[in-house]
Amino acid sequence: MLKSTLIAAAFGLAMFAPAYADHDPTGKCDEETMTRYQTDIDAMTDAEKKATSIKELENARAAMAANKMDECMTFMHSAHQGARG
């Protein structure tokens, strides 16, 4: 009984993993990912969080242009967290 419950739980978790893969904050620092994040930000209703996320995305774009990918990823993560939260 316990074994079948654990197997069912593991299977259930495996089914949800792909749903979260698209919203991975460790995505690439590229235009495609920024466009996807911009779409999420545009859909936000909280004006304060939206403004903060827009600023973080602008900072990410500037860092990408300067070829500072670690910095870009930091800003991308912040923008993504704001859009989700």
Side-chain angles (χ1 to χ4, degrees):
M1 179 74 164
L2 179 62
K3 185 177 180 180
S4 61
T5 303
L6 290 175
I7 290 171
F11 181 72
L13 288 174
M15 296 300 291
F16 287 108
Y20 292 106
D22 186 44
H23 294 288
D24 181 13
T26 60
K28 296 177 185 174
C29 187
D30 61 11
E31 229 12 87
E32 180 182 343
T33 305
M34 288 188 190
T35 300
R36 189 173 69 237
Y37 285 8
Q38 184 67 55
T39 301
D40 291 345
I41 292 167
D42 289 343
M44 293 174 70
T45 57
D46 184 321
E48 187 176 329
K49 287 183 180 180
K50 186 174 185 174
T52 300
S53 293
I54 288 170
K55 183 65 178 166
E56 293 296 320
L57 196 58
E58 289 171 354
N59 289 337
R61 280 195 170 100
M64 185 175 75
N67 204 28
K68 296 179 180 179
M69 294 308 179
D70 288 341
E71 188 175 318
C72 178
M73 288 304 303
T74 300
F75 288 122
M76 292 278 287
H77 180 74
S78 295
H80 187 258
Q81 290 300 102
R84 291 187 70 196

